[in-house]
Amino acid sequence: MSEKKRIAVLVSGGGTNLQAIIDAQKSGIIKSGEVVLVLSNNEKAYALERAKNAGIKTITVKRSAYTEGQIFKAMMDEKIDLIVLAGFMTVLSEEFTKEFPRRILNVHPSLIPSFCGKGYYGLKVHEEALKKGVKVTGATVHFVNEIPDGGEIIFQKAVEVADDDTPETLQKKVMEQAEWILLPRAIEKVCSEM
Ligand code: GAR
């Protein structure tokens, strides 16, 4: 069997998607890759605790001192094959993304091309979906290029919206029914095809 691909997960917050990835490694859903680094641009991100609990190396780049150069160096130092954005609340520049063609994945909490692009992240996505009154939303895993949420789509999954959903209940549903399932599957697919 070929060597496992080296994965870096970039996070900013709670890290439930990171947890889904860690769990998927344990259960064997992800078998062609291994998370060797978790990088956060928020020193208070709970995702860092999740990484430490799983024995994964962490790097924190303080928001005030944040530079893409630091991230790039960390990717080179760790010989990263695949970068996964799992709730990473910063848009990466064209200069950065073009260094990793089809080597950066992102999970977005809507059915792209709805409710995506600049300014659409986290709870805001679900607030806008409810404002519009859509009856179906979902999640998308896609490759990252220079256009925010504009790269090739890998997987999508629909989630029904209930009349009494709030942004918070909808966010939870989309995570449970779509994001946490799609992201590990996409990682395995991409690593196995590398
Ligand atoms: C997730 O819902 C993810 O899809 C979203 O942020 C949340 C992070 O949660 N990402 C974006 O909105 C990116 N545009 P987590 O830290 O618990 O994984």
Side-chain angles (χ1 to χ4, degrees):
M1 211 181 96
S2 64
E3 255 179 46
K4 290 191 182 199
K5 302 300 170 198
R6 295 174 63 78
I7 303 168
V9 183
L10 274 49
V11 297
S12 302
T16 63
N17 278 289
L18 170 66
Q19 191 64 55
I21 296 167
I22 292 168
D23 294 347
Q25 278 187 176
K26 285 192 189 132
S27 69
I29 292 169
I30 297 175
K31 48 184 186 293
S32 306
E34 185 182 4
V35 179
V36 294
L37 181 70
V38 169
L39 184 147
S40 175
N41 61 354
N42 170 13
E43 59 201 315
K44 297 202 177 86
Y46 185 66
L48 289 168
E49 295 304 313
R50 298 180 190 271
K52 283 174 194 157
N53 289 340
I56 301 166
K57 179 174 175 177
T58 62
I59 294 183
T60 306
V61 186
K62 277 195 190 159
R63 244 187 245 270
S64 53
Y66 171 86
T67 67
E68 275 185 356
Q70 287 171 284
I71 301 182
F72 185 77
K73 183 174 183 309
M75 299 305 113
M76 293 298 121
D77 289 349
E78 294 294 332
K79 299 186 170 51
I80 296 302
D81 299 303
L82 180 70
I83 301 172
V84 178
L85 310 184
F88 187 61
M89 299 305 179
T90 300
V91 175
L92 295 167
S93 72
E94 176 170 5
E95 200 188 354
F96 187 93
T97 56
K98 75 174 188 227
E99 294 290 335
F100 303 96
R102 295 172 73 86
R103 290 291 179 269
I104 312 176
L105 297 186
N106 181 46
V107 59
H108 183 77
S110 76
L111 294 174
I112 290 175
S114 290
F115 312 113
C116 66
K118 202 165 177 278
Y120 283 95
Y121 56 87
L123 216 46
K124 168 88 176 160
V125 178
H126 305 293
E127 283 166 6
E128 293 300 318
L130 289 176
K131 235 186 255 174
K132 187 67 193 174
V134 294
K135 304 302 172 204
V136 174
T137 185
T140 303
V141 179
H142 63 94
F143 284 117
V144 174
N145 63 9
E146 70 285 359
I147 304 157
D149 299 323
E152 185 187 324
I153 292 170
I154 302 167
F155 289 137
Q156 289 189 303
K157 192 165 186 288
V159 173
E160 279 187 30
V161 182
D163 290 342
D164 61 353
D165 265 326
T166 63
E168 290 78 11
T169 61
L170 191 55
Q171 180 179 52
K172 187 164 180 282
K173 267 189 210 171
V174 169
M175 283 176 158
E176 285 174 354
Q177 296 177 29
E179 294 184 46
W180 300 342
I181 301 166
L182 293 190
L183 186 57
R185 282 189 196 160
I187 291 171
E188 176 53 27
K189 177 173 159 53
V190 172
C191 285
S192 69
E193 289 172 358
M194 255 182 212

